Amino acid sequence: MRSRIEKIGLIGLGLIAGVLISLQLSAIADKDSAEPLPIEELRVFSEVFGRIKSDYVEPVTDKKLITEAITGMLTGLDPHSAYLDADAFKELQIGTQGEFGGLGIEVGMEDGLVKVISPIEDSPAYHAGMKSGDLIIKLDDVMVKSLTLNDAVKRMRGKPGSKIVLTVIRKETPKPLTFTLTRAVIKVQSVKSKLIEPGYAFIRITQFQEHTGENLATALTNLFKQNQGAMKGLVLDLRNDPGGLLNSSVAASAAFLPKDSLVVYTEGRNPEAKMRLTAVPNDYLHNSEKDYLKNLPAAVKTVPMIVLVNGGSASASEIVAGALQDHKRAVIMGTQTFGKGSVQSVLPLGNNTAIKLTTARYFTPGGRSIQAKGIVPDIIVEDPATVDQDQTFRMREADLERHLSNSQELDTKGGATVKPTAPAAPAKSPTKHEEGDATKPKILEFGSKDDYQLHQALNLLKGMNILQGK
């Protein structure tokens, strides 16, 4: 029996070696003195592999064991590294183009539960009233504790028009909530814009996708054409923007900054992970793409500007806010951002699979690491719907299990604070949310007449114009 297990273990060790070779670990190979393979740890792995193959209650394929091992290696590192099977890899590629199927929520894993980072605007989850920080404990009748993040995401995807019931724990509610959602093809409109009133423009970026920079340039050009007279102020809304493509965030920053301005730089162990991205076409355009920022109105670079952020502003949106803040190009207003200051590289493998691996931390032009800290607004303006809620209810990168640390110390107490004079009391959450349910909480539409933070930004812009006039 023992010899059989050892034989299976040796086969497992061979499989592991094959996986290591196929991954082509160039970062190790390029070192002058390559680190030796951890033979003792691999021996333990092979013993476990052999025991599972020989003694597990049901037969298990080699493919499943190796896949689960790779998944465990990556998910054990940090909340954002992951193994992408063929379906997940395809969904990731489609998602960056702005159209994909599902419920419309950015999720991560915490204590074995699926945690909502941010609902995507205009999605089924958004309209149902799901919030950042919600913990999904059950999908239909399946407990999430028994699933990996990839398995949970697969269950949430499905044929448009089909329904799924999500059971959710929300910290400020005594009982679990249930949401009955209808899956849909999620078409994310990356850039939305309008003139709030003559001389004052509003642009919202919901997510940084493949064509966000181009769409932003079109929106800015149209707004300046629509406005009769000089533009007096611009509000860039990045609230609940979960991030997206790095080069698109560089493009958005470059639209408002002088040419050659540093937007962001990254630091990692691999030399290829060290980058300095500036406001030049080579750092935001794809291959032979024409420079869509070239013919923007000159006033875009100088118009008084406010950027709105909140706890749902993450990753790429924090790059933009940090760059505009460090260059003193805009006043940052709202609440502290999510704090995702790490870069994930998608490294394709064979069989149309890939790994999403955290390879670097990014830094603002002034040298600030945002990881687990976020961007602290110049002026703190609370959303009236959440101003009375305990700060511990707000989920950020630092709350995620195994998050990367930040060795830098940030003073998060600076900045003026503006609070609503008559905040609305938080609505009591119902225990059940069905489609068309009259008890469903009211959802704030960013940019609407009820948008308190937007009105505060507009008031500040008008005050800035008065001071400039004097």
Side-chain angles (χ1 to χ4, degrees), residues 224-421:
F224 275 75
K225 284 181 179 178
Q226 293 172 24
N227 185 62
Q228 301 298 321
M231 191 72 77
K232 299 177 181 178
L234 173 67
V235 177
L236 177 64
D237 187 3
L238 300 177
R239 291 171 295 177
N240 282 10
D241 182 333
L245 298 178
L246 178 61
N247 67 301
S248 292
S249 69
V250 175
S253 304
F256 304 104
L257 292 173
K259 187 180 178 182
D260 297 327
S261 298
L262 179 62
V263 174
V264 63
Y265 68 92
T266 62
E267 294 286 349
R269 293 174 59 208
N270 193 317
E272 294 181 359
K274 298 179 180 181
M275 299 183 292
R276 289 179 66 86
L277 300 175
T278 59
V280 294
N282 285 344
D283 285 346
Y284 58 79
L285 295 179
H286 298 284
N287 301 324
S288 58
E289 193 176 30
K290 292 183 179 179
D291 186 6
Y292 41 76
L293 300 182
K294 183 178 180 181
N295 297 319
L296 281 177
V300 170
K301 305 286 187 182
T302 58
V303 62
M305 186 175 174
I306 291 177
V307 178
L308 291 176
V309 296
N310 65 4
S313 306
S315 191
S317 56
E318 293 175 288
I319 289 177
V320 176
L324 297 180
Q325 187 179 50
D326 280 7
H327 286 292
K328 302 188 184 304
R329 174 63 188 89
V331 175
I332 311 301
M333 178 182 284
T335 55
Q336 187 175 348
T337 60
F338 185 79
K340 183 183 176 298
S342 60
V343 178
Q344 280 69 50
S345 298
V346 178
L347 309 175
L349 307 175
N351 300 321
N352 296 318
T353 62
I355 59 173
K356 184 173 67 170
L357 187 66
T358 300
T359 55
R361 290 178 173 88
Y362 68 71
F363 297 81
T364 68
R368 293 180 294 158
S369 172
I370 298 170
Q371 175 59 27
K373 294 291 184 181
I375 295 292
V376 180
D378 301 304
I379 301 177
I380 299 172
V381 178
E382 299 277 1
D383 183 341
T386 60
V387 68
D388 287 342
Q389 293 181 10
D390 192 295
Q391 293 287 335
T392 59
F393 292 161
R394 298 178 183 176
M395 191 268 296
R396 292 190 172 90
E397 174 80 6
D399 301 320
L400 297 179
E401 189 178 2
R402 298 184 303 275
H403 68 271
L404 291 180
S405 62
N406 185 326
S407 58
Q408 296 179 336
E409 290 294 327
L410 262 176
D411 179 14
T412 60
K413 297 180 182 180
T417 301
V418 177
K419 291 190 176 181
T421 54

